[in-house]
Amino acid sequence: MDRDESRGLSGFIATVIIFILLFGCSPGVRDASVQEERQDETTTAVSVPQQSPSGDASVSPSPGESGQDSVTLVIGAYSVVKDVMQRILPEFAADWKAKTGQQVVFQESYEASGTQARSIAGGLEADIALFSMEGDVDKLVQAGLVPADWQARDAYGGMVTGSIVVLGTREGNPHQIRGWIDLTKPGVQVLYPNPKTSGGAQWDINAIYGAGLLEAKERGENGPRRAKELLMSVHRNVISMDKSGRASMAAFEYGVGDVIVTYENEILSRMQAGVPYELVRPERTIRIDNPVVVVDQYAQKHGTTELAQAFVDYLREPKAQRLLAEAGFRPVAPSVREETADRYPEPAGLFGIEDMGGWKHVRETLYSKRGIWYEVLAGIEE
């Protein structure tokens, strides 16, 4: 190589290095926004619990730990259950090792429920899926990963926990909020997330609309008309619709609004953390059902079907159900539900999605392109 060629190559390398220093190492707005959007998403691997000096089980990260005496179980879940899973997974791992001598290595992914469902349907090979709503399991059915009769073949109808839609107010409940009609008062500022960007937020809208249907039925009035009027009246006082329930709660805790529509387990969790909420359970509200399912095609591919089903069964056992109840979820196991009846009172007008005609009917009437939710947003009253 002659001197001119060497000088030219050196100049090129210097230019590349300067470009990297200037643009590759500086945190840009785009990177920050991506991190913010993914703040509830993690992927970890953990091993069977080791005993700490205090005797408590702790979970230690051990990615790639796999061998003849170990097996990997991949869990794809919605982000709300992340904290309680860190308590349940070590307990199950210890139980499984005691029974089989086999160590379980967990790989976990936590995202918003709808996002997680799309990820699994798109190729994230989770052996088990936990979602906030059964409609997200339907995405896996449509992808050919889960059989269409997944609920019929399960003793609990495919569910692992429950909750209800509630209201959270400022400490002392200064606006004296007691039910949905109070959200229509002049000057009351309401928060709930956008059901178009947050699938789980549909429970909030369903609760308001369904309460209107139930009230109209009791009074002998036109149900759909009364339900739409109630939803529109509440929506007029909504000052923000964030992209997720967590974003709405963050805004509320920052000082935005007077009342938030959300899940009971979310409010209880924040109250346990010392955040000053007042919890209001409306007389008429909807029961939330959270599903868990073995992702058959992936579990069969990985040879983990037996283990995956054992974990699903374990989640319904009293020990796991008590941990879930402590985290704010309503248990599905009858014995634990009875134990926690005082903590989780049932509102007099509690109803389920089946009382609204089922998810298929609700999607068609409420959330279709020209459905009731579209009319509410557009201000179409008739």
Side-chain angles (χ1 to χ4, degrees):
M1 181 181 295
D2 60 29
R3 182 177 299 174
D4 290 339
E5 289 176 333
S6 177
R7 187 176 298 157
L9 180 59
S10 298
F12 174 77
I13 293 172
T15 302
V16 170
I17 292 173
I18 291 171
F19 181 86
I20 291 173
L21 289 173
L22 287 175
F23 299 101
C25 300
S26 58
V29 175
R30 182 178 181 274
D31 291 335
S33 66
V34 169
Q35 289 176 356
E36 181 179 357
E37 290 174 2
R38 295 186 178 180
Q39 61 183 345
D40 289 331
E41 302 175 20
T42 63
T43 302
T44 61
V46 298
S47 67
V48 69
Q50 306 294 323
Q51 291 298 317
S52 66
S54 64
D56 296 329
S58 61
V59 180
S60 56
S62 55
E65 186 176 310
S66 183
Q68 187 176 0
D69 296 328
S70 68
V71 61
T72 298
L73 191 66
V74 184
I75 298 175
Y78 69 115
S79 44
V80 174
V81 299
K82 180 180 178 180
D83 292 342
V84 71
M85 281 296 120
Q86 306 316 304
R87 300 181 65 189
I88 290 175
L89 297 182
E91 298 287 351
F92 172 75
D95 184 74
W96 182 260
K97 189 168 186 178
K99 290 178 179 177
T100 68
Q102 190 176 45
Q103 175 174 290
V104 182
V105 178
F106 295 101
Q107 290 184 349
E108 309 156 56
S109 172
Y110 299 96
E111 301 181 26
S113 187
T115 302
Q116 189 67 270
R118 288 188 291 272
S119 295
I120 296 172
L124 175 64
E125 296 189 0
D127 301 302
I128 294 167
L130 293 98
F131 296 137
S132 68
M133 53 195 297
E134 67 182 67
D136 289 328
V137 182
D138 291 342
K139 295 181 177 72
L140 307 190
V141 173
Q142 293 165 7
L145 300 173
V146 171
D149 65 345
W150 64 278
Q151 288 183 283
R153 65 179 186 169
D154 185 87
Y156 290 88
M159 303 305 156
V160 64
T161 55
S163 191
I164 61 175
V165 173
V166 299
L167 306 174
T169 76
R170 302 292 172 195
E171 192 171 19
N173 196 357
H175 289 275
Q176 295 301 296
I177 303 297
R178 295 288 178 263
W180 303 114
I181 195 66
D182 296 320
L183 305 192
T184 69
K185 294 177 180 177
V188 174
Q189 297 182 333
V190 181
L191 297 181
Y192 53 57
N194 189 339
K196 287 297 184 181
T197 57
S198 171
Q202 292 181 14
W203 284 117
D204 302 336
I205 304 304
N206 296 348
I208 301 170
Y209 188 82
L213 291 175
L214 188 59
E215 178 187 354
K217 182 178 180 180
E218 293 170 357
R219 296 181 178 181
E221 300 175 354
N222 183 300
R225 177 181 297 173
R226 172 58 189 146
K228 181 181 174 182
E229 288 174 353
L230 178 61
L231 183 55
M232 289 193 76
S233 296
V234 172
H235 189 70
R236 290 190 188 101
N237 280 353
V238 172
I239 61 171
S240 175
M241 287 197 303
D242 294 289
K243 65 181 181 181
S244 69
R246 285 290 175 89
S248 285
M249 293 195 75
F252 185 79
E253 291 175 17
Y254 188 73
V256 178
D258 303 307
V259 58
I260 183 171
V261 184
T262 187
Y263 298 179
E264 179 185 52
N265 58 279
E266 291 278 49
I267 296 290
L268 290 175
S269 175
R270 299 304 291 151
M271 290 173 68
Q272 288 176 5
V275 182
Y277 276 96
E278 292 286 337
L279 172 62
V280 178
R281 297 180 177 96
E283 179 185 355
R284 302 180 186 89
T285 192
I286 196 166
R287 184 191 72 247
I288 296 171
D289 302 311
N290 309 128
V292 61
V293 65
V294 174
V295 187
D296 288 43
Q297 292 301 311
Y298 292 149
Q300 290 171 14
K301 177 181 177 180
H302 302 155
T304 56
T305 300
E306 181 182 357
L307 174 62
Q309 186 59 54
F311 181 70
V312 169
D313 294 341
Y314 183 83
L315 289 177
R316 274 77 169 265
E317 291 181 8
K319 189 173 185 178
Q321 286 283 292
R322 290 188 185 103
L323 289 175
L324 289 162
E326 288 174 14
F329 295 94
R330 293 186 173 226
V332 297
S335 61
V336 183
R337 191 164 60 233
E338 185 176 348
E339 290 174 12
T340 58
D342 291 342
R343 184 181 182 189
Y344 296 108
E346 185 169 302
L350 186 66
F351 58 92
I353 195 69
E354 67 276 5
D355 297 309
M356 296 177 66
W359 272 111
K360 185 175 184 294
H361 176 73
V362 168
R363 290 192 195 99
E364 291 173 351
T365 57
L366 266 176
Y367 304 113
S368 61
K369 290 184 178 180
R370 289 294 183 270
I372 293 166
W373 179 244
Y374 163 82
E375 294 179 350
V376 168
L377 292 179
I380 302 173
E381 297 187 7
E382 292 300 328

Tab-separated table of all heavy atoms in Angstrom, residues 119-158:
chain	number	residue	atom	x	y	z
A	119	SER	N	-47.126	-11.021	21.020
A	119	SER	CA	-45.753	-11.518	21.000
A	119	SER	C	-45.734	-13.041	20.925
A	119	SER	O	-44.982	-13.634	20.146
A	119	SER	CB	-44.992	-11.050	22.249
A	119	SER	OG	-44.854	-9.652	22.270
A	120	ILE	N	-46.558	-13.678	21.747
A	120	ILE	CA	-46.604	-15.138	21.751
A	120	ILE	C	-47.159	-15.664	20.430
A	120	ILE	O	-46.627	-16.615	19.845
A	120	ILE	CB	-47.439	-15.642	22.945
A	120	ILE	CG1	-46.758	-15.237	24.260
A	120	ILE	CG2	-47.628	-17.158	22.881
A	120	ILE	CD1	-47.580	-15.522	25.502
A	121	ALA	N	-48.218	-15.025	19.945
A	121	ALA	CA	-48.781	-15.436	18.660
A	121	ALA	C	-47.783	-15.236	17.531
A	121	ALA	O	-47.797	-15.964	16.529
A	121	ALA	CB	-50.059	-14.649	18.378
A	122	GLY	N	-46.896	-14.253	17.712
A	122	GLY	CA	-45.920	-13.933	16.672
A	122	GLY	C	-44.612	-14.685	16.771
A	122	GLY	O	-43.717	-14.468	15.959
A	123	GLY	N	-44.467	-15.561	17.800
A	123	GLY	CA	-43.251	-16.369	17.842
A	123	GLY	C	-42.515	-16.432	19.159
A	123	GLY	O	-41.524	-17.154	19.268
A	124	LEU	N	-42.946	-15.686	20.193
A	124	LEU	CA	-42.346	-15.830	21.507
A	124	LEU	C	-42.825	-17.164	22.071
A	124	LEU	O	-43.998	-17.313	22.424
A	124	LEU	CB	-42.756	-14.689	22.435
A	124	LEU	CG	-42.288	-14.795	23.894
A	124	LEU	CD1	-40.770	-14.733	23.981
A	124	LEU	CD2	-42.916	-13.710	24.744
A	125	GLU	N	-41.944	-18.144	22.181
A	125	GLU	CA	-42.354	-19.517	22.465
A	125	GLU	C	-42.566	-19.760	23.961
A	125	GLU	O	-41.833	-20.502	24.622
A	125	GLU	CB	-41.350	-20.503	21.881
A	125	GLU	CG	-41.290	-20.446	20.361
A	125	GLU	CD	-40.462	-21.564	19.746
A	125	GLU	OE1	-39.926	-22.408	20.500
A	125	GLU	OE2	-40.351	-21.594	18.510
A	126	ALA	N	-43.606	-19.157	24.502
A	126	ALA	CA	-43.962	-19.335	25.909
A	126	ALA	C	-44.691	-20.659	26.093
A	126	ALA	O	-45.562	-21.016	25.289
A	126	ALA	CB	-44.827	-18.178	26.381
A	127	ASP	N	-44.358	-21.369	27.154
A	127	ASP	CA	-45.064	-22.604	27.485
A	127	ASP	C	-46.381	-22.302	28.188
A	127	ASP	O	-47.340	-23.068	28.084
A	127	ASP	CB	-44.204	-23.476	28.401
A	127	ASP	CG	-42.870	-23.849	27.773
A	127	ASP	OD1	-42.880	-24.456	26.692
A	127	ASP	OD2	-41.824	-23.508	28.357
A	128	ILE	N	-46.410	-21.174	28.912
A	128	ILE	CA	-47.583	-20.770	29.686
A	128	ILE	C	-47.852	-19.300	29.437
A	128	ILE	O	-46.922	-18.499	29.353
A	128	ILE	CB	-47.347	-20.994	31.192
A	128	ILE	CG1	-47.207	-22.489	31.490
A	128	ILE	CG2	-48.485	-20.407	32.031
A	128	ILE	CD1	-46.678	-22.772	32.871
A	129	ALA	N	-49.130	-18.947	29.325
A	129	ALA	CA	-49.523	-17.545	29.141
A	129	ALA	C	-50.509	-17.155	30.231
A	129	ALA	O	-51.453	-17.903	30.518
A	129	ALA	CB	-50.148	-17.341	27.769
A	130	LEU	N	-50.272	-15.997	30.847
A	130	LEU	CA	-51.212	-15.408	31.804
A	130	LEU	C	-51.603	-14.037	31.280
A	130	LEU	O	-50.740	-13.186	31.052
A	130	LEU	CB	-50.578	-15.259	33.191
A	130	LEU	CG	-50.237	-16.531	33.958
A	130	LEU	CD1	-48.767	-16.867	33.793
A	130	LEU	CD2	-50.571	-16.359	35.439
A	131	PHE	N	-52.917	-13.820	31.115
A	131	PHE	CA	-53.420	-12.583	30.533
A	131	PHE	C	-54.443	-11.924	31.450
A	131	PHE	O	-54.945	-12.537	32.392
A	131	PHE	CB	-54.067	-12.851	29.171
A	131	PHE	CG	-53.115	-13.368	28.114
A	131	PHE	CD1	-53.486	-14.415	27.275
A	131	PHE	CD2	-51.854	-12.812	27.949
A	131	PHE	CE1	-52.626	-14.885	26.300
A	131	PHE	CE2	-50.989	-13.271	26.974
A	131	PHE	CZ	-51.375	-14.321	26.146
A	132	SER	N	-54.790	-10.683	31.098
A	132	SER	CA	-55.792	-9.962	31.886
A	132	SER	C	-57.206	-10.223	31.381
A	132	SER	O	-58.171	-9.946	32.089
A	132	SER	CB	-55.512	-8.456	31.857
A	132	SER	OG	-55.724	-7.937	30.559
A	133	MET	N	-57.335	-10.763	30.171
A	133	MET	CA	-58.668	-11.000	29.620
A	133	MET	C	-58.632	-12.161	28.633
A	133	MET	O	-57.621	-12.410	27.974
A	133	MET	CB	-59.216	-9.740	28.943
A	133	MET	CG	-58.286	-9.139	27.904
A	133	MET	SD	-58.715	-7.454	27.429
A	133	MET	CE	-60.324	-7.700	26.697
A	134	GLU	N	-59.754	-12.878	28.561
A	134	GLU	CA	-59.793	-14.079	27.741
A	134	GLU	C	-59.671	-13.786	26.255
A	134	GLU	O	-59.247	-14.655	25.475
A	134	GLU	CB	-61.075	-14.878	28.006
A	134	GLU	CG	-62.356	-14.203	27.561
A	134	GLU	CD	-63.585	-15.034	27.905
A	134	GLU	OE1	-63.889	-15.199	29.099
A	134	GLU	OE2	-64.247	-15.504	26.962
A	135	GLY	N	-59.989	-12.566	25.846
A	135	GLY	CA	-59.849	-12.212	24.442
A	135	GLY	C	-58.419	-12.338	23.954
A	135	GLY	O	-58.179	-12.578	22.763
A	136	ASP	N	-57.457	-12.201	24.873
A	136	ASP	CA	-56.057	-12.341	24.478
A	136	ASP	C	-55.695	-13.804	24.230
A	136	ASP	O	-54.818	-14.103	23.420
A	136	ASP	CB	-55.145	-11.729	25.540
A	136	ASP	CG	-55.223	-10.206	25.559
A	136	ASP	OD1	-55.434	-9.618	24.472
A	136	ASP	OD2	-55.093	-9.604	26.632
A	137	VAL	N	-56.368	-14.726	24.924
A	137	VAL	CA	-56.167	-16.143	24.620
A	137	VAL	C	-56.708	-16.454	23.231
A	137	VAL	O	-56.163	-17.293	22.508
A	137	VAL	CB	-56.835	-17.044	25.676
A	137	VAL	CG1	-56.581	-18.532	25.366
A	137	VAL	CG2	-56.316	-16.727	27.071
A	138	ASP	N	-57.775	-15.770	22.850
A	138	ASP	CA	-58.348	-15.977	21.509
A	138	ASP	C	-57.313	-15.714	20.421
A	138	ASP	O	-57.346	-16.351	19.356
A	138	ASP	CB	-59.557	-15.067	21.301
A	138	ASP	CG	-60.746	-15.471	22.165
A	138	ASP	OD1	-60.750	-16.632	22.637
A	138	ASP	OD2	-61.647	-14.635	22.373
A	139	LYS	N	-56.401	-14.786	20.675
A	139	LYS	CA	-55.339	-14.525	19.697
A	139	LYS	C	-54.459	-15.758	19.505
A	139	LYS	O	-53.996	-16.043	18.392
A	139	LYS	CB	-54.480	-13.333	20.145
A	139	LYS	CG	-55.203	-11.988	20.192
A	139	LYS	CD	-54.249	-10.891	20.633
A	139	LYS	CE	-54.927	-9.511	20.622
A	139	LYS	NZ	-55.899	-9.377	21.713
A	140	LEU	N	-54.231	-16.496	20.581
A	140	LEU	CA	-53.433	-17.711	20.494
A	140	LEU	C	-54.204	-18.830	19.815
A	140	LEU	O	-53.628	-19.660	19.105
A	140	LEU	CB	-52.983	-18.158	21.893
A	140	LEU	CG	-52.271	-17.118	22.758
A	140	LEU	CD1	-51.689	-17.779	24.004
A	140	LEU	CD2	-51.182	-16.385	21.978
A	141	VAL	N	-55.513	-18.848	20.044
A	141	VAL	CA	-56.364	-19.823	19.353
A	141	VAL	C	-56.323	-19.575	17.848
A	141	VAL	O	-56.152	-20.495	17.045
A	141	VAL	CB	-57.817	-19.744	19.872
A	141	VAL	CG1	-58.731	-20.642	19.038
A	141	VAL	CG2	-57.874	-20.140	21.348
A	142	GLN	N	-56.460	-18.305	17.465
A	142	GLN	CA	-56.433	-17.950	16.048
A	142	GLN	C	-55.086	-18.256	15.410
A	142	GLN	O	-55.001	-18.544	14.220
A	142	GLN	CB	-56.764	-16.462	15.888
A	142	GLN	CG	-58.199	-16.108	16.270
A	142	GLN	CD	-58.416	-14.620	16.470
A	142	GLN	OE1	-57.530	-13.799	16.204
A	142	GLN	NE2	-59.588	-14.252	16.971
A	143	ALA	N	-54.016	-18.234	16.213
A	143	ALA	CA	-52.688	-18.540	15.695
A	143	ALA	C	-52.416	-20.042	15.667
A	143	ALA	O	-51.337	-20.470	15.242
A	143	ALA	CB	-51.628	-17.842	16.553
A	144	GLY	N	-53.380	-20.843	16.124
A	144	GLY	CA	-53.219	-22.290	16.108
A	144	GLY	C	-52.330	-22.823	17.229
A	144	GLY	O	-51.857	-23.959	17.159
A	145	LEU	N	-52.131	-22.028	18.291
A	145	LEU	CA	-51.253	-22.428	19.381
A	145	LEU	C	-51.994	-23.057	20.553
A	145	LEU	O	-51.409	-23.801	21.343
A	145	LEU	CB	-50.466	-21.208	19.886
A	145	LEU	CG	-49.562	-20.512	18.865
A	145	LEU	CD1	-48.982	-19.233	19.447
A	145	LEU	CD2	-48.438	-21.446	18.420
A	146	VAL	N	-53.274	-22.736	20.675
A	146	VAL	CA	-54.112	-23.218	21.770
A	146	VAL	C	-55.422	-23.732	21.172
A	146	VAL	O	-55.969	-23.085	20.271
A	146	VAL	CB	-54.393	-22.079	22.785
A	146	VAL	CG1	-55.433	-22.493	23.803
A	146	VAL	CG2	-53.098	-21.651	23.472
A	147	PRO	N	-55.956	-24.869	21.633
A	147	PRO	CA	-57.216	-25.377	21.085
A	147	PRO	C	-58.398	-24.479	21.433
A	147	PRO	O	-58.389	-23.796	22.466
A	147	PRO	CB	-57.356	-26.759	21.727
A	147	PRO	CG	-56.523	-26.704	22.953
A	147	PRO	CD	-55.380	-25.784	22.642
A	148	ALA	N	-59.398	-24.487	20.586
A	148	ALA	CA	-60.553	-23.610	20.778
A	148	ALA	C	-61.341	-23.943	22.034
A	148	ALA	O	-62.056	-23.087	22.577
A	148	ALA	CB	-61.464	-23.683	19.548
A	149	ASP	N	-61.231	-25.175	22.534
A	149	ASP	CA	-61.992	-25.577	23.724
A	149	ASP	C	-61.179	-25.432	25.006
A	149	ASP	O	-61.415	-26.150	25.988
A	149	ASP	CB	-62.485	-27.016	23.565
A	149	ASP	CG	-61.345	-28.021	23.509
A	149	ASP	OD1	-60.187	-27.599	23.302
A	149	ASP	OD2	-61.605	-29.235	23.676
A	150	TRP	N	-60.238	-24.496	25.020
A	150	TRP	CA	-59.349	-24.352	26.170
A	150	TRP	C	-60.092	-24.096	27.473
A	150	TRP	O	-59.651	-24.520	28.540
A	150	TRP	CB	-58.325	-23.227	25.919
A	150	TRP	CG	-58.920	-21.858	25.773
A	150	TRP	CD1	-59.479	-21.325	24.651
A	150	TRP	CD2	-59.017	-20.849	26.785
A	150	TRP	NE1	-59.914	-20.045	24.893
A	150	TRP	CE2	-59.635	-19.726	26.187
A	150	TRP	CE3	-58.625	-20.777	28.120
A	150	TRP	CZ2	-59.904	-18.557	26.898
A	150	TRP	CZ3	-58.879	-19.601	28.829
A	150	TRP	CH2	-59.502	-18.509	28.222
A	151	GLN	N	-61.234	-23.432	27.419
A	151	GLN	CA	-62.007	-23.178	28.632
A	151	GLN	C	-62.829	-24.385	29.040
A	151	GLN	O	-62.919	-24.719	30.223
A	151	GLN	CB	-62.919	-21.972	28.444
A	151	GLN	CG	-62.189	-20.640	28.422
A	151	GLN	CD	-63.146	-19.467	28.297
A	151	GLN	OE1	-63.655	-19.189	27.223
A	151	GLN	NE2	-63.366	-18.775	29.401
A	152	ALA	N	-63.413	-25.049	28.068
A	152	ALA	CA	-64.285	-26.185	28.353
A	152	ALA	C	-63.537	-27.346	28.995
A	152	ALA	O	-64.105	-28.099	29.803
A	152	ALA	CB	-64.965	-26.650	27.065
A	153	ARG	N	-62.271	-27.496	28.690
A	153	ARG	CA	-61.510	-28.631	29.215
A	153	ARG	C	-60.841	-28.321	30.550
A	153	ARG	O	-60.076	-29.140	31.062
A	153	ARG	CB	-60.468	-29.077	28.198
A	153	ARG	CG	-59.378	-28.058	27.898
A	153	ARG	CD	-58.379	-28.600	26.891
A	153	ARG	NE	-57.258	-27.686	26.693
A	153	ARG	CZ	-56.144	-28.016	26.037
A	153	ARG	NH1	-56.024	-29.221	25.510
A	153	ARG	NH2	-55.170	-27.144	25.902
A	154	ASP	N	-61.118	-27.168	31.129
A	154	ASP	CA	-60.492	-26.750	32.377
A	154	ASP	C	-61.550	-26.595	33.468
A	154	ASP	O	-62.608	-25.987	33.242
A	154	ASP	CB	-59.754	-25.418	32.178
A	154	ASP	CG	-58.990	-24.996	33.407
A	154	ASP	OD1	-57.835	-25.425	33.561
A	154	ASP	OD2	-59.557	-24.240	34.216
A	155	ALA	N	-61.261	-27.133	34.647
A	155	ALA	CA	-62.232	-27.112	35.740
A	155	ALA	C	-62.574	-25.698	36.202
A	155	ALA	O	-63.659	-25.463	36.744
A	155	ALA	CB	-61.698	-27.921	36.919
A	156	TYR	N	-61.664	-24.756	35.991
A	156	TYR	CA	-61.889	-23.368	36.408
A	156	TYR	C	-62.254	-22.462	35.226
A	156	TYR	O	-62.180	-21.242	35.350
A	156	TYR	CB	-60.649	-22.822	37.117
A	156	TYR	CG	-60.407	-23.449	38.474
A	156	TYR	CD1	-59.667	-24.619	38.588
A	156	TYR	CD2	-60.928	-22.882	39.624
A	156	TYR	CE1	-59.442	-25.207	39.834
A	156	TYR	CE2	-60.712	-23.450	40.877
A	156	TYR	CZ	-59.968	-24.622	40.966
A	156	TYR	OH	-59.754	-25.196	42.191
A	157	GLY	N	-62.635	-23.076	34.123
A	157	GLY	CA	-62.986	-22.282	32.952
A	157	GLY	C	-61.814	-21.501	32.395
A	157	GLY	O	-62.004	-20.487	31.716
A	158	GLY	N	-60.599	-21.955	32.708
A	158	GLY	CA	-59.407	-21.296	32.196
A	158	GLY	C	-58.930	-20.123	33.029
A	158	GLY	O	-57.952	-19.475	32.666
